[in-house]
């Protein structure tokens, strides 16, 4: 069975792009979330191997969601997704326990490299 990934981004087309890259490379999509609050709920419900988390989202941003997920599961694997120019947020995310980050617009090779590095 492929490793299971939860995709969290407020933009449906971004979730679709990531899903496409991952499924073509043997990963299973455990679920999707359009904001951090839903991501936290779905993480505890689905227990995915990895979360790809957008930083900027409505309701609860990716960094708050990352902190909540890591508080509930210290072994959670989270890769942050950010737009260019969010350096300070990326640093905060890494300090909060994110395993890696990828920058939009996504390069499929970079997405796969980050995912493989974190969950193989």
């Amino acid at each position: 069975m492929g490793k299971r990934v939860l995709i969290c981004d407020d933009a449906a087309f971004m979730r679709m792009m990531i899903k496409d890259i991952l499924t073509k490379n043997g990963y299973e999509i455990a679920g999707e979330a359009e904001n951090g609050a839903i991501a936290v709920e779905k993480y505890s419900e689905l227990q995915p191997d990895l979360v790809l988390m957008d930083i900027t989202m409505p309701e609860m941003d990716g960094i708050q969601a990352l902190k909540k997920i890591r508080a509930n599961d210290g072994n959670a694997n989270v890769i942050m997704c950010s737009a260019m120019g969010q350096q300070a947020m990326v640093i905060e995310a890494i300090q909060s326990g994110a395993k890696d980050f990828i920058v939009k617009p996504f390069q499929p090779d970079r997405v796969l490299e980050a995912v493989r590095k974190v969950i193989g």
Side-chain angles (χ1 to χ4, degrees), residues 24-84:
K24 280 183 180 157
N25 287 277
Y27 293 95
E28 186 186 322
I29 305 310
E32 294 182 36
E34 57 274 5
N35 67 49
I38 295 171
V40 172
E41 272 172 39
K42 290 216 170 167
Y43 183 86
S44 54
E45 179 191 315
L46 302 167
Q47 299 290 304
D49 298 300
L50 175 71
V51 183
L52 284 173
M53 178 89 69
D54 186 22
I55 288 183
T56 317
M57 290 181 293
E59 221 160 301
M60 181 192 291
D61 71 32
I63 292 178
Q64 290 173 303
L66 164 70
K67 289 176 178 170
K68 283 203 156 144
I69 288 171
R70 297 275 304 171
N72 297 335
D73 178 359
N75 298 317
N77 293 312
V78 182
I79 295 176
M80 302 306 286
C81 307
S82 75
M84 291 300 263

